[in-house]
Amino acid sequence: MTPDKTMTAAVYHRFGGPEEVHLEQRSIPSPKSGEVLVRVHASTVSIADHRSRARDVPPGLGLLAAAGIGVLRPKHPILGMDAAGVVEAVGPGVTAFTAGDRVIAAMGGAFGGHAEYVCMPAEGAITHAPASMTLEEAVTLVFGGITAQGFFRQVSIGPGTSVLVNGASGAVGTAAVQLAKQLGADVTAVTSGGNASLVLSLGADRIIDYTRQDFTAGDETYDVIVDGVGNAGFGRVERSIAPGGALLLVIADLWSMLRSRGQTRRSGKLVTWNVGKPGADELAHVVALADSGRYRPVIDRSFALADIVEAHRYVDTGRKRGNVVLRIADVDPLS
Ligand SMILES: NC(=O)c1ccc[n+]([C@@H]2O[C@H](COP(=O)([O-])OP(=O)(O)OC[C@H]3O[C@@H](n4cnc5c(N)ncnc54)[C@H](OP(=O)(O)O)[C@@H]3O)[C@@H](O)[C@H]2O)c1
C-alpha cells in the first residue's frame, strides 16, 4: 500500500468563484474490490469543473444538475473528471491492471482527479496510457476524446461524410475535429480567427470564423453537426443538416433536450444530447490513434496543483484552447 496516509487535494466546500478552491490534506482512498488506486500525475481543469464549482449549468437544468453536483454544498469536493497517472495498488479481483501501470482515466461525474490519488472501478473508463506520450500529454486525450467518441458512435461517419464542428478550439472540439478526420470525414470547423491555425493544424478542411460569418446563413448542408458551444439548437441549424443527417448537442438546455425526440421523428434527422456511456473502449481507441501519431494532445496552459485557483480563473474565461493541464505529482516513469 501507499507509504503516506494523507494526500494533497484541491477541494471546494461552497459553490462560487475560483477562490473557493484551496488545497487540503485528505485521506488517501483505499481501493475496494474491483477498484484501482491511481497516483495522479496530471489532470485537466475543464469546463465541467467550472460548471460544477460555479453551478453554471444550461437553462432549465438546475434541478437535474443538483443531483450530480450537490444541492446546498458540493457533493464531490474534489473536482477533476480525468486523470493520468501510475497504478499504485489494486483491490481484490482486479486483473486488468497492476501496480506500476501508466494509465489514463475518466472519472466523469464522480470527479476526484485534482488530488494526488484517486480510486476508480477497474471496469470503468480507464485504460493504459499511450507509450508515446508523457502523462501530461496523455491526460488531454480523456475529456474531449471520450465525449466526442461517445457522440460519434451514435452516427455513421466515414470517408466523405461532411462534419461541422461548432466550437472547434475547445477540449471537445479539438477532439471532434481529429476523430472525424481519422474516420475520413470532410471537416468544417467553426472557430474564431485567432484559433484558425490551431484547428487547421488538427486536420480541419476549412474554417468558418464565427465572428464574421454565420454558418447557418448559406445553403451549405452537413451530414453531422456537432454543437460544442450551445448556440446551434435544432431550430437554428435544421436547414444546415443534410437529409438523414444528425445534430449532436454536446451541450443543450432543458428545452432542447425535451424537444429532441419529437424533432428527430418529425425531421428524419437525428437530434441527440445524450453522450451515452463511453468507457474504456472509447479511450483505448483514442490511445491507439495517439500511439500511431494520428491524434495529438492540445495543451493550452499547464498549472501546478498549487496554482489551482489561477487554473480555474483561466478556464472561467471560456477562451481556453483545447486543454488546461493540472500538474499534480511527478510520478511518470517516462518524464
Ligand atoms: N454532454 C457531455 O457529456 C459533455 C462533455 C464535455 C463537455 N460538454 C459541454 O460541451 C461544451 C464544450 O466543452 P469544451 O470542453 O470543449 O469547452 P471549452 O474547452 O471550455 O471551450 C472553449 C472554446 O470554445 C470556443 N468558443 C466560445 N464561444 C464560441 C462560439 N460562439 N463559436 C465557436 N467557438 C466558441 C472558444 O474559442 P474562441 O475563444 O475562439 O471563441 C474556446 O476555445 C461545454 O459547454 C461543456 O459543458 C458536454
Side-chain angles (χ1 to χ4, degrees), residues 46-48 51 143 147 151 166-174 190-195 210 227-231 249-251 273-275 315 318-323:
S46 71
I47 183 82
R51 289 196 182 286
F143 184 82
T147 304
F151 279 100
N166 185 39
S169 59
V172 177
T174 52
V190 181
T191 185
S192 64
N195 289 328
Y210 72 85
D227 182 18
V229 176
N231 63 2
L249 296 169
V250 181
I251 182 76
W273 49 267
N274 191 346
V275 68
V315 172
R319 300 264 84 87
K320 78 175 167 65
R321 294 151 43 100
N323 300 275

Side-chain angles (χ1 to χ4, degrees), residues 58-76:
L61 292 179
L63 276 178
L64 263 180
I69 65 179
V71 181
L72 298 177
R73 63 183 65 83
K75 185 170 169 182
H76 303 287

Side-chain angles (χ1 to χ4, degrees), residues 91-106:
V94 175
T95 53
F97 300 97
T98 52
D101 286 353
R102 298 170 80 245
V103 292
I104 58 173

Side-chain angles (χ1 to χ4, degrees), residues 208-273:
I208 295 178
D209 178 349
Y210 72 85
T211 65
R212 294 164 178 263
Q213 192 186 338
D214 175 355
F215 76 86
T216 66
D219 292 331
E220 199 66 48
T221 61
Y222 306 90
D223 298 314
V224 177
I225 294 182
V226 181
D227 182 18
V229 176
N231 63 2
F234 190 68
R236 178 178 169 217
V237 306
E238 178 175 7
R239 260 181 9 97
S240 306
I241 307 171
L247 172 60
L248 308 178
L249 296 169
V250 181
I251 182 76
D253 59 21
L254 180 64
W255 188 228
S256 304
M257 292 164 81
L258 292 175
R259 288 186 302 176
S260 59
R261 278 190 168 196
Q263 289 164 336
T264 300
R265 250 194 325 269
R266 175 177 63 71
S267 68
K269 300 171 180 180
L270 173 70
V271 183
T272 183
W273 49 267

